[in-house]
Amino acid sequence: MSATAQSYSVTLTKQDATTKSPLACAVFDVYNADTDTLLTTVTTGTNGTATVQTNAAQGVVLKAHTLYYFIETKAPDGYQLDNTTRYYFWFCNVEGTCNDCAAMEAELKAAGVDSAHMQHGTYDSQAEVENVALTVTNEQGKQLPETGGSGTWMYALAGLVLCGGAALALCRRREAQ
């Protein structure tokens, strides 16, 4: 079986930075870094995970020796968006057969990519493919007050009543003079 016929997958786990609890509803875009092409968008489920795998019918084809990356596009409610780019790739783990991946990793490090944001999986000639597992943590964010939301009509009405009352009092005062 050739490397191109193998099925690759990446499982992303989203969790709270402090409690390590899984976080649902985080949205990530997945790109092929070589072509900068959006492959798919995934959302974490209730267990905090989302999996991307080779699925030619949906146009998602993951291959060895190709660099991919995740970018979070929507954080779970109450959490800060983490726009760190996280890279991943697969390489052959048969001793002495893969020079491409060492060069790819060295190139990323030279470009200033933190090794904590690089993950890789392996495959061998026996069609054994390791799933890449990425863990992304989120800090809780500060909730800003809403403006223009449905709860503001009461304040607007109270302001109009006060302005109307002040205008009425001013008119009566002028009439009395």
Side-chain angles (χ1 to χ4, degrees), residues 84-88 105 107-119:
T84 304
T85 301
R86 289 179 165 75
Y87 296 90
Y88 65 97
E105 194 166 352
E107 196 174 305
L108 286 172
K109 286 181 181 177
V113 175
D114 184 348
S115 60
H117 300 138
M118 283 186 278
Q119 299 292 328

Side-chain angles (χ1 to χ4, degrees), residues 60-75:
V60 179
V61 179
L62 304 175
K63 301 181 278 190
H65 305 123
T66 302
L67 186 63
Y68 300 93
Y69 63 91
F70 275 100
I71 295 180
E72 183 176 9
T73 58
K74 181 182 178 296

Side-chain angles (χ1 to χ4, degrees), residues 78-94:
Y79 287 85
Q80 296 176 10
L81 183 67
D82 179 358
N83 59 0
T84 304
T85 301
R86 289 179 165 75
Y87 296 90
Y88 65 97
F89 57 91
W90 290 269
F91 65 91
C92 182
N93 67 356
V94 177

